[in-house]
Amino acid sequence: MPTPSKDDLTARLAGQKVLPLFNCGDAATGMGVLEALHSGGIRIVEFTNRSAGALDVFRTLAAESAARFPDMLLGAGTIIDAAQAETFHRAGAAFLVAPNLDEEVGAYAARHGLFWCPGTGTVTEMIRAHRLGAAVIKVFPADTLGGPAFIKGVRGPCAWLKLMPSGGVTLDEANLKAWFAAGVHCVGMGSHLVDAKTLAERNFADLAERTKRLTAILATV
């Protein structure tokens, strides 16, 4: 699948409503995760750069998922500087996500027409990220910052910001509805969906069922 434009991916995330993120130590496990997520209705996934071998695993996942799941987009997360942005982009990343706001990463994404979702914790950072070209802005860690009430407070004066909280987003229906009632564009979900036990036991059938329950709830928010 060709790399989507910033506007296209922004729209797709609005439709999917969640960006699942995970990291694992080997490509076989990673492909099991992607297959489970795909069977549950997910088409956009973030693989995080949180381990020593993350780049090698990501490179294999990007190539294999393109062949097996051509309708799935795989992006790279925890991209904190421009060197990482270039390395993972060359390895096949369709988009970039970060826990921080780095102007050099933003500039790299702009030069290459890449969707970039930087992490922010203040209104000043959010507006700066928007001005640097981030169509969707990560709010991290969202639960520590105040949860849905914080999102609602930010969107009062800044309703044009498209926000993606990450941290504290769970599979609980009430939790998900609270975030969307506050006005989020989509949510980021890590270990509440792809947890360490699932990865260790490679229980991909359970992950697929969890994902189906998640997408069913999201269809109602």
Side-chain angles (χ1 to χ4, degrees), residues 169-173 175-176 189 192-193 210 213-214 217:
V169 180
T170 75
L171 289 164
D172 179 72
E173 183 173 357
N175 177 276
L176 289 165
M189 186 178 293
H192 285 284
L193 181 61
R210 262 199 321 277
R213 291 197 300 271
L214 171 61
I217 293 171

Side-chain angles (χ1 to χ4, degrees), residues 99-112:
N100 64 317
L101 174 61
D102 185 277
E103 295 191 9
E104 292 184 358
V105 175
Y108 179 89
R111 286 197 303 274
H112 295 275

